[in-house]
Amino acid sequence: MQWETVIGLEIHVQLATKTKIFSGASTAFGATPNTQACAVDLGLPGILPVVNEEAINMAIKFGLGIDAEINKVNVFERKNYFYPDLPKGYQTTQLEKPIVGAGHVDITLADGSTKSIRIHHAHLEEDAGKSLHEDFHGMSGIDLNRAGTPLIEIVTEPDIRNAEEAVAFAKKLHSIVTTLGICDGDMSQGSMRFDVNVSVRPKGQKEFGTRTETKNLNSFKFMEAAILKEVERQIDLIEDGGTVIQETRLYNGDTGEARSMRSKEEANDYRYFPCPDLLPVIIDDSCLEKLQAEMPEMPDAKKARFIADFGLSDYDAEILSADQATANYFEAATRASDDAKLSANWIMGELSKSLNQNSISITESPVTADMLGGLIKRIKDNTISGKIAKEVFEVLWQGECSTADEVIEKKGLKQVTDTGAIEAMIDEVLASNAQQVENYRAAPDDKRGKMIGFFVGQCMKASKGKANPGMVNQILKQKLDG
Ligand code: ADP
Ligand code: MG
């Protein structure tokens, strides 16, 4: 039997407002527990929530960024349930009239094909607090700093067909919200959390199979692994004569284990109703126009421009346009070096390798775009070879010098382009490798190309990598071939 996977995602995105969605308490991450939860966040009797206009604006920008309808009248509702991290006894969210209606997010797959994933809607809501189970012997602690942090929950149509598409979608969404500046994109701090709905059906069948939902995946890698595992579990189950039951599941990224959390029968009836403390949000045209005018260039447009203006390949443009910080760095390095292709290669090569090794983001890079641009300039004008440039980069990374020119000067790395000096060096190499020279001259033409590599290597070694490799090659050929 051939199986087809069907996936729909629900994504919680924390909005990058300074204060909470219904109160003036700070949203900053990492504060001492319970120092950033005010009476409103705790839902103490008599409080009145006031909606944060910036959260509304950010949700609208998200809608504009995915070509969605914006619902000009949208309503907050109470979703009632008990949980220790929700002292109010209800979550303020949107159900019937969410702020963002249907839209789409387009993804590019590894084979270069593109696909449009429909967004069903996105709504505004508040985050809950956190239960802390470590450090408390036989008890749990509650930290309400996160309570009331603004979220948008984005719900896709079940348009995704495999883990690769799901990851491509998640990365694209990350790119959209960070480009818009509405989310810091820090998944390790829970700024974006993915719930994956997964079902399988025999290939060719029209109806969807029964789905399960795996909640709160906070990395692309965990999401991919959770999907692959769940698809396998469902197929095995059905092929063994069992049936998939609709349930909520948990996946532990650290252990790779998955388990059931609750079945549909145990699901709550949340008794939603419009929040009597909050007026409907009415968005007028002037507000929409103002936000439209503030919209940054979105990743798809940026990618197209990088291809058209800089002649980048589709692949390079996709990577360099994916997040705002990388795109900015690339454009600044290109301005400084006047070479887009070399800038792209260095950013995706040496720079990204060093950033990964040190687990830092591009905005924290000790080698700035201007410094990299200056380095690339010296490769282009033959002051240094590409190989020496890596040495210079390393020195810049260590912070010993602040420009490539300074490193080249201080360490004497300037490339040797003086014909006389190179000739002298070559003569010495040929003299001390007489046997190899004899072998070379005795070899047929088609073997010589390979054999010359040995001499080039010796010359580069003798010059400590500083001889211009093109000149070494050329002069060597003249001398050996006679
Ligand atoms: P509910 O109202 O019960 O939350 P929804 O229809 O809103 O269900 O769907 C929630 C999520 O599950 C959406 O992302 C949707 O695309 C996805 N989904 C719905 N049915 C399936 C299915 N059979 N297989 C996989 N995903 C599904
Ligand atoms: Mg739902």
Side-chain angles (χ1 to χ4, degrees):
M1 174 86 79
Q2 288 254 54
W3 296 94
E4 183 181 50
T5 304
V6 173
I7 299 168
L9 300 178
E10 294 164 276
I11 308 97
H12 288 94
V13 173
Q14 281 185 344
L15 297 176
T17 56
K18 291 198 176 64
T19 57
K20 296 195 176 166
I21 185 168
F22 302 119
S23 84
S26 168
T27 55
F29 181 85
T32 308
N34 300 310
T35 55
Q36 292 178 174
C38 70
V40 172
D41 309 321
L42 303 181
L44 297 186
I47 52 88
L48 266 184
V50 177
V51 72
N52 182 340
E53 189 178 347
E54 203 44 37
I56 304 272
N57 290 344
M58 287 181 175
I60 294 173
K61 279 190 178 171
F62 175 73
L64 296 174
I66 60 158
D67 291 335
E69 301 157 25
I70 305 297
N71 291 321
K72 289 185 169 175
V73 179
N74 58 91
V75 174
F76 284 106
E77 305 205 29
R78 290 185 181 178
K79 175 182 183 179
N80 300 284
Y81 65 94
F82 171 80
Y83 205 75
D85 63 17
L86 187 76
K88 296 197 301 180
Y90 60 85
Q91 178 193 31
T92 308
T93 179
Q94 299 187 312
L95 182 71
E96 293 297 328
K97 292 184 174 136
I99 185 161
V100 175
H104 65 95
V105 169
D106 300 339
I107 58 173
T108 306
L109 300 167
D111 65 3
S113 62
T114 57
K115 178 169 176 176
S116 191
I117 308 296
R118 291 169 301 155
I119 302 297
H120 180 272
H121 80 272
H123 62 259
L124 272 164
E125 63 186 27
E126 60 183 341
D127 213 340
K130 262 186 200 161
S131 300
L132 309 169
H133 305 295
E134 285 151 32
D135 307 332
F136 297 92
H137 300 285
M139 291 183 282
S140 291
I142 304 290
D143 177 9
L144 293 167
N145 283 351
R146 199 177 69 176
T149 296
L151 301 173
I152 46 174
E153 180 177 339
I154 302 155
V155 181
T156 78
E157 297 286 356
D159 287 347
I160 297 165
R161 290 293 170 270
N162 53 51
E164 187 208 345
E165 290 182 10
V167 172
F169 173 85
K171 288 187 173 167
K172 189 59 175 286
L173 199 64
H174 185 269
S175 159
I176 289 171
V177 297
T178 52
T179 297
L180 286 169
I182 63 171
C183 174
D184 65 17
D186 193 335
M187 301 189 43
S188 67
Q189 294 182 357
S191 295
M192 268 180 102
R193 283 128 46 195
F194 293 85
D195 299 346
V196 295
N197 297 275
V198 176
S199 66
V200 298
R201 62 180 171 187
K203 226 183 173 115
Q205 177 181 303
K206 256 186 110 177
E207 300 78 38
F208 290 147
T210 302
R211 73 172 194 266
T212 64
E213 178 178 22
T214 302
K215 279 202 172 297
N216 263 328
L217 299 160
N218 66 355
S219 84
F220 301 129
K221 220 164 69 201
F222 291 168
M223 184 174 80
E224 180 175 29
I227 291 172
L228 293 174
K229 196 177 178 87
E230 177 59 9
V231 168
E232 192 180 274
R233 187 189 71 88
Q234 290 187 12
I235 293 174
D236 283 352
L237 186 64
I238 300 169
E239 288 186 341
D240 286 348
T243 47
V244 176
I245 53 164
Q246 193 172 339
E247 63 183 358
T248 303
R249 298 179 63 82
L250 286 178
Y251 175 80
N252 182 332
D254 297 325
T255 62
E257 275 164 38
R259 65 176 172 86
S260 174
M261 188 168 90
R262 60 168 183 262
S263 74
K264 185 78 179 172
E265 287 79 64
E266 297 160 47
N268 301 305
D269 177 355
Y270 294 113
R271 309 291 293 269
Y272 281 90
F273 66 88
C275 180
D277 286 344
L278 288 159
L279 291 168
V281 177
I282 312 236
I283 300 163
D284 58 25
D285 289 337
S286 70
C287 165
L288 278 184
E289 278 160 25
K290 183 174 157 281
L291 293 171
Q292 185 78 63
E294 286 174 20
M295 288 290 284
E297 181 181 38
M298 297 304 290
D300 285 344
K302 202 182 283 293
K303 178 181 168 187
R305 181 167 61 81
F306 282 3
I307 293 171
D309 290 5
F310 298 129
L312 292 190
S313 69
D314 198 87
Y315 177 81
D316 292 0
E318 174 86 17
I319 291 178
L320 294 171
S321 62
D323 80 275
Q324 189 76 31
T326 304
N328 289 346
Y329 190 103
F330 164 68
E331 293 204 74
T334 299
R335 267 195 303 276
S337 65
D338 202 24
D339 194 311
K341 187 63 196 159
L342 274 179
S343 298
N345 290 348
W346 274 82
I347 292 168
M348 297 189 302
E350 288 303 298
L351 181 71
S352 99
K353 197 170 81 190
S354 301
L355 294 173
N356 284 340
Q357 276 167 359
N358 293 280
S359 302
I360 57 174
S361 73
I362 198 160
T363 49
E364 300 163 315
S365 171
V367 179
T368 64
D370 275 344
M371 287 157 83
L372 183 63
L375 171 61
I376 291 170
K377 258 190 171 156
R378 294 297 162 256
I379 305 171
K380 281 181 53 161
D381 68 11
N382 278 327
T383 306
I384 51 172
S385 66
K387 196 153 172 233
I388 293 286
K390 290 189 181 173
E391 265 181 56
V392 177
F393 180 87
E394 191 49 37
V395 177
L396 289 174
W397 183 273
Q398 297 306 334
E400 283 173 50
C401 297
S402 58
T403 66
D405 287 344
E406 197 186 326
V407 181
I408 294 165
E409 176 70 36
K410 220 166 150 180
K411 309 248 163 188
L413 294 174
K414 198 162 183 282
Q415 180 158 250
V416 178
T417 51
D418 170 25
T419 316
I422 293 179
E423 270 191 47
M425 204 154 49
I426 289 177
D427 288 342
E428 222 166 275
V429 166
L430 296 185
S432 49
N433 293 285
Q435 185 60 49
Q436 276 89 345
V437 173
E438 214 172 287
N439 293 349
Y440 177 93
R441 292 201 170 121
D445 276 358
D446 62 334
K447 289 267 161 44
R448 289 183 171 186
K450 223 175 187 172
M451 292 171 82
I452 204 165
F454 165 76
F455 299 105
V456 174
Q458 293 299 308
C459 291
M460 293 309 290
K461 210 160 127 191
S463 76
K464 298 201 175 70
K466 287 190 290 185
N468 177 298
M471 292 176 70
V472 168
N473 250 296
Q474 197 193 349
I475 299 172
L476 257 176
K477 263 206 198 100
Q478 282 166 9
K479 290 198 180 265
L480 283 167
D481 294 349

